[in-house]
Amino acid sequence: MVTYENGPLLSNGKDWAEEIKKTEHYTGIDIRMEWRKIENTFYNYLYRYPSMGVGFSSMTRYSNQLGRPMGIYGFIEMPFSRRGIYKNFYLSYFGQIGLGFHIKPYDAESNPLNQFVGTNLNSYIHLGFKANYKLSNRVSLIGSIGLKHFSNGAIKRPNAGINYIPIGIGVKTKLGSVHPLPTEAVNYPELEKRGFWNIAMYLGYKNYEVDEGSYFRGGLGINYLWEASYKYRVGLGLDWFYGAGVNDRWPGENTNFLDANSFAIVGSWEWKINKHLYAPVALGVYLDRSEFNNEMTWFYERVGVRYRFDNHVFIGVQIKAHKAKADFFEFTMGYTIPGKVQYIRSK
């Protein structure tokens, strides 16, 4: 699949961002290799036979302030309608996550205007919607619109984040044998209504001031989640966060334990993409927050992706943010303790 993309750069309203926006415009190409899951299994049927794969994205021109942002990523795409996938035209939504690179970062002397990112290597995220029109059994036309984002999660400031709104048009060609999608409905398995304890450790680094060092940022979380449906788990828990170097970062201040640590109650939600892969989403409310660690609002958000192995160990990466402004990237590892089945219900 090859797509040509074109769209504006989003400004954050700052004078320097408005200055860059005058000359910056995204034009790029996106190349993907995808595999559509057509086995007639429960999760494939539940999510309307989604596509997964890998891809590469690149601007087609060089920017004096931003360089030529590129990204390599993995993605998942899901149709909106089960009926639509059997027609020539259908709509879908997608998410891409990976690494962004070949970006010209902020430099006080050579690139002072660009305060969008402070590193060459960043996270790459692209979320959007896609229209698919089948010309033949092998060839389809596609159109898309979305939000493309580059950020280092405050590992090194400045880090306002680069945001584009690319509108794309392209062509998709099927390789190898062409197999039709299954048309038979799949019986839903028995839904085990039970609770789960998630115990997670968060690890990361945070840069607090431009041209100064980065410090360890981490914590622990304990959440109890309930199997709400075939797709979702919901729950409640507690988070503890720690910011290292508070004495170094605030010399002369009379800091104490609570200035380096914070505690919160958090509402959690898990979107089960399949048996192992899921997306955690959370909204936390601080019971005690630390302004010395740049926790400037009374609440925070979390979103990411995790993979849970058969032995209940999970790993993942999330972004913790305050009003959509990154606090730090959480590289997560943990363990899930499943509770006893209380009752079983079939759809």
Side-chain angles (χ1 to χ4, degrees):
M1 180 191 313
V2 179
T3 305
Y4 171 78
E5 297 176 330
N6 192 299
L9 169 73
L10 294 183
S11 170
N12 60 7
K14 304 292 185 181
D15 290 342
W16 57 265
E18 291 294 327
E19 188 67 24
I20 294 177
K21 185 180 177 181
K22 291 178 182 178
T23 58
E24 176 69 15
H25 191 85
Y26 183 82
T27 57
I29 58 169
D30 189 279
I31 303 171
R32 302 182 218 175
M33 178 68 73
E34 73 172 41
W35 299 267
R36 190 160 195 179
K37 302 174 72 66
I38 63 172
E39 296 84 2
N40 209 16
T41 63
F42 168 65
Y43 274 108
N44 288 348
Y45 179 81
L46 184 67
Y47 288 114
R48 302 164 296 280
Y49 304 98
S51 299
M52 296 183 180
V54 295
F56 170 76
S57 173
S58 175
M59 283 189 66
T60 57
R61 63 183 185 86
Y62 184 83
S63 163
N64 290 330
Q65 285 80 33
L66 303 182
R68 182 177 286 132
M70 300 180 179
I72 53 174
Y73 58 85
F75 73 90
I76 185 169
E77 178 185 332
M78 296 182 180
F80 276 105
S81 167
R82 183 171 290 110
R83 290 184 179 180
I85 62 178
Y86 302 106
K87 298 179 180 179
N88 288 338
F89 177 81
Y90 70 92
L91 301 175
S92 58
Y93 57 97
F94 63 86
Q96 304 171 355
I97 184 168
L99 292 176
F101 57 96
H102 208 271
I103 297 171
K104 187 177 180 181
Y106 166 86
D107 185 275
E109 295 183 359
S110 64
N111 195 23
L113 195 61
N114 172 27
Q115 298 182 44
F116 284 117
V117 290
T119 54
N120 177 282
L121 187 65
N122 296 268
S123 67
Y124 168 90
I125 298 171
H126 186 186
L127 305 175
F129 304 97
K130 196 172 82 170
N132 305 264
Y133 183 76
K134 186 170 69 172
L135 297 177
S136 68
N137 286 335
R138 287 193 178 274
V139 180
S140 297
L141 292 178
I142 56 175
S144 64
I145 185 171
L147 174 66
K148 194 183 293 278
H149 175 74
F150 296 87
S151 169
N152 66 35
I155 291 175
K156 186 176 181 181
R157 293 184 181 274
N159 185 57
I162 302 174
N163 294 289
Y164 299 105
I165 301 182
I167 299 173
I169 185 169
V171 62
K172 178 171 67 175
T173 301
K174 294 181 180 179
L175 305 176
S177 301
V178 177
H179 300 283
L181 293 175
T183 56
E184 295 181 1
V186 173
N187 293 326
Y188 279 57
E190 294 175 322
L191 177 62
E192 298 181 346
K193 303 291 285 186
R194 67 165 88 185
F196 296 81
W197 286 100
N198 272 358
I199 303 172
M201 177 169 59
Y202 315 128
L203 304 171
Y205 276 88
K206 182 177 176 69
N207 176 235
Y208 294 87
E209 298 291 340
V210 175
D211 295 329
E212 294 189 3
S214 298
Y215 295 85
F216 173 80
R217 195 86 161 84
L220 292 172
I222 300 176
N223 283 263
Y224 183 82
L225 295 107
W226 182 254
E227 198 86 39
S229 72
Y230 292 99
K231 294 182 179 180
Y232 313 120
R233 293 188 180 117
V234 295
L236 199 65
L238 295 172
D239 274 343
W240 160 61
F241 300 105
Y242 168 71
V246 66
N247 292 327
D248 295 335
R249 293 184 281 110
W250 296 89
E253 294 284 345
N254 185 22
T255 55
N256 57 36
F257 174 83
L258 291 179
D259 294 325
N261 297 269
S262 56
F263 303 89
I265 185 169
V266 59
S268 299
W269 179 77
E270 288 184 358
W271 176 31
K272 298 182 290 182
I273 299 172
N274 58 37
K275 180 181 177 182
H276 298 287
L277 188 66
Y278 64 101
V281 178
L283 178 65
V285 176
Y286 288 109
L287 301 173
D288 182 84
R289 63 185 174 92
S290 170
E291 293 187 2
F292 290 90
N293 289 336
N294 283 1
E295 294 170 345
M296 307 307 293
T297 62
W298 57 269
F299 66 94
Y300 60 91
E301 315 91 49
R302 172 185 290 127
V303 63
V305 61
R306 292 178 182 171
Y307 187 91
R308 183 179 288 115
F309 298 92
D310 287 331
N311 61 2
H312 305 302
V313 173
F314 62 82
I315 58 173
V317 60
Q318 297 86 229
I319 184 73
K320 176 177 177 272
H322 299 100
K323 290 185 177 180
K325 186 175 181 179
D327 183 12
F328 73 104
F329 273 122
E330 301 173 334
F331 297 93
T332 304
M333 63 184 78
Y335 189 79
T336 297
I337 305 173
K340 294 182 179 180
V341 177
Q342 296 191 9
Y343 66 89
I344 298 176
R345 176 175 59 86
S346 297
K347 184 175 178 179

XYZ file of all heavy atoms in Angstrom, residues 197-202 221 270 276 278 306-309 311-316 318 332-337:
238
model
N -6.244 -8.337 39.462
C -5.322 -7.390 40.080
C -4.145 -7.168 39.141
O -3.472 -8.119 38.746
C -4.815 -7.910 41.424
C -5.815 -7.842 42.538
C -6.589 -8.856 43.013
C -6.147 -6.680 43.314
N -7.394 -8.414 44.039
C -7.142 -7.076 44.245
C -5.718 -5.360 43.309
C -7.694 -6.187 45.164
C -6.272 -4.470 44.232
C -7.241 -4.892 45.141
N -3.909 -5.927 38.766
C -2.735 -5.547 37.982
C -1.728 -4.855 38.898
O -2.055 -3.838 39.528
C -3.106 -4.587 36.847
C -3.511 -5.306 35.585
O -3.481 -6.527 35.514
N -3.914 -4.542 34.586
N -0.517 -5.384 38.956
C 0.563 -4.757 39.711
C 1.628 -4.337 38.704
O 2.213 -5.183 38.023
C 1.155 -5.723 40.747
C 0.054 -6.216 41.692
C 2.272 -5.048 41.541
C 0.498 -7.322 42.630
N 1.874 -3.031 38.568
C 2.726 -2.507 37.507
C 3.840 -1.644 38.082
O 3.649 -0.914 39.066
C 1.907 -1.690 36.516
N 4.999 -1.707 37.433
C 6.125 -0.838 37.751
C 6.373 0.069 36.557
O 6.471 -0.399 35.423
C 7.375 -1.667 38.071
C 8.619 -0.844 38.347
S 9.998 -1.810 39.024
C 10.223 -3.004 37.696
N 6.474 1.382 36.795
C 6.685 2.369 35.748
C 8.137 2.864 35.799
O 8.636 3.235 36.865
C 5.756 3.580 35.928
C 4.324 3.236 36.239
C 3.664 3.808 37.332
C 3.612 2.342 35.446
C 2.347 3.518 37.619
C 2.292 2.039 35.718
C 1.664 2.623 36.819
O 0.356 2.323 37.097
N 2.004 0.959 40.442
C 0.557 1.045 40.383
C -0.096 -0.271 40.743
O 0.399 -1.345 40.374
N -9.269 -1.029 30.153
C -8.461 -1.815 29.230
C -9.297 -2.212 28.020
O -10.365 -2.812 28.167
C -7.925 -3.087 29.896
C -6.828 -2.839 30.902
C -6.256 -4.140 31.462
O -6.745 -5.229 31.081
O -5.323 -4.058 32.289
N -3.870 -11.396 23.966
C -2.643 -10.913 24.615
C -2.453 -9.403 24.545
O -1.864 -8.822 25.459
C -1.427 -11.589 23.966
C -1.393 -13.066 24.117
N -1.094 -13.688 25.308
C -1.635 -14.071 23.225
C -1.132 -14.991 25.152
N -1.467 -15.255 23.889
N -3.476 -5.437 24.483
C -4.539 -4.562 24.953
C -4.008 -3.142 25.136
O -2.796 -2.913 25.212
C -5.158 -5.076 26.254
C -4.228 -5.120 27.446
C -4.260 -4.131 28.426
C -3.313 -6.153 27.608
C -3.414 -4.170 29.520
C -2.475 -6.216 28.711
C -2.528 -5.214 29.659
O -1.689 -5.255 30.750
N -0.001 -2.553 25.789
C 0.662 -3.581 26.584
C 0.436 -4.956 25.958
O -0.537 -5.162 25.227
C 0.138 -3.601 28.032
C 0.497 -2.395 28.869
C -0.101 -2.498 30.253
N 0.188 -1.316 31.060
C -0.357 -1.078 32.246
N -1.215 -1.951 32.759
N -0.041 0.010 32.918
N 1.337 -5.863 26.325
C 1.221 -7.250 25.878
C 1.309 -8.148 27.103
O 2.263 -8.069 27.871
C 2.338 -7.597 24.889
C 2.187 -8.965 24.259
C 1.501 -9.130 23.059
C 2.726 -10.092 24.869
C 1.354 -10.370 22.481
C 2.582 -11.349 24.295
C 1.895 -11.483 23.099
O 1.747 -12.735 22.540
N 0.287 -8.989 27.286
C 0.242 -9.896 28.430
C 0.525 -11.325 27.968
O -0.170 -11.859 27.097
C -1.119 -9.819 29.121
C -1.229 -10.688 30.362
C -2.591 -10.552 31.034
N -2.758 -9.272 31.695
C -3.641 -8.347 31.339
N -4.429 -8.553 30.290
N -3.741 -7.223 32.008
N 1.557 -11.943 28.538
C 1.937 -13.301 28.182
C 1.029 -14.312 28.879
O 0.254 -13.969 29.783
C 3.402 -13.552 28.565
C 4.387 -12.664 27.847
C 4.797 -11.461 28.411
C 4.888 -13.016 26.603
C 5.691 -10.629 27.757
C 5.784 -12.196 25.933
C 6.185 -11.003 26.520
N 1.781 -16.451 30.988
C 2.098 -16.610 32.410
C 1.678 -15.398 33.246
O 2.105 -15.247 34.397
C 3.589 -16.877 32.596
C 4.458 -15.738 32.073
O 3.952 -14.724 31.600
N 5.767 -15.913 32.169
N 0.870 -14.489 32.649
C 0.290 -13.309 33.309
C 1.280 -12.155 33.482
O 0.915 -11.122 34.058
C -0.332 -13.664 34.666
C -1.348 -14.754 34.601
N -2.477 -14.682 33.807
C -1.408 -15.965 35.216
C -3.186 -15.781 33.943
N -2.552 -16.583 34.782
N 2.520 -12.306 33.050
C 3.460 -11.185 33.032
C 3.118 -10.271 31.855
O 2.788 -10.745 30.769
C 4.909 -11.692 32.914
C 5.883 -10.527 32.710
C 5.295 -12.483 34.158
N 3.183 -8.953 32.060
C 2.919 -8.036 30.952
C 4.023 -6.985 30.859
O 4.698 -6.653 31.846
C 1.542 -7.365 31.070
C 1.338 -6.507 32.294
C 1.805 -5.200 32.338
C 0.654 -7.008 33.398
C 1.608 -4.402 33.452
C 0.448 -6.223 34.526
C 0.924 -4.918 34.561
N 4.214 -6.478 29.645
C 5.143 -5.395 29.374
C 4.423 -4.387 28.488
O 3.438 -4.724 27.821
C 6.432 -5.886 28.678
C 6.095 -6.596 27.360
C 7.244 -6.781 29.588
C 7.321 -6.968 26.536
N 4.905 -3.147 28.477
C 4.248 -2.162 27.633
C 4.885 -0.799 27.739
O 5.885 -0.602 28.439
N 3.495 3.422 27.953
C 2.407 4.388 28.022
C 2.991 5.791 28.091
O 4.168 5.975 28.378
C 1.528 4.190 29.275
C 0.799 2.874 29.336
C 1.653 1.795 29.947
O 1.755 0.714 29.390
N 2.273 2.049 31.080
N 6.706 -0.065 31.092
C 5.995 -0.778 32.145
C 6.255 -2.274 32.091
O 6.312 -2.871 31.015
C 4.476 -0.527 32.025
O 4.242 0.878 32.057
C 3.722 -1.187 33.157
N 6.410 -2.851 33.259
C 6.387 -4.299 33.407
C 5.592 -4.617 34.661
O 5.565 -3.825 35.614
C 7.803 -4.873 33.496
C 8.616 -4.418 34.687
S 10.315 -5.058 34.651
C 11.031 -3.948 33.449
N 4.911 -5.768 34.639
C 4.080 -6.083 35.785
C 3.510 -7.484 35.717
O 3.893 -8.307 34.874
N 2.561 -7.719 36.596
C 1.972 -9.047 36.727
C 0.475 -8.902 37.002
O 0.046 -8.016 37.764
C 2.641 -9.808 37.869
C 2.248 -11.263 37.956
C 2.817 -12.214 37.110
C 1.298 -11.702 38.886
C 2.465 -13.550 37.188
C 0.938 -13.038 38.972
C 1.521 -13.960 38.112
O 1.164 -15.288 38.186
N -0.314 -9.770 36.372
C -1.759 -9.797 36.563
C -2.154 -11.021 37.374
O -1.757 -12.139 37.049
C -2.493 -9.821 35.209
O -2.209 -8.614 34.497
C -3.999 -9.922 35.412
N -2.921 -10.799 38.430
C -3.437 -11.889 39.260
C -4.925 -12.035 38.973
O -5.729 -11.196 39.374
C -3.221 -11.600 40.757
C -1.741 -11.324 41.039
C -3.724 -12.761 41.605
C -1.469 -10.862 42.457
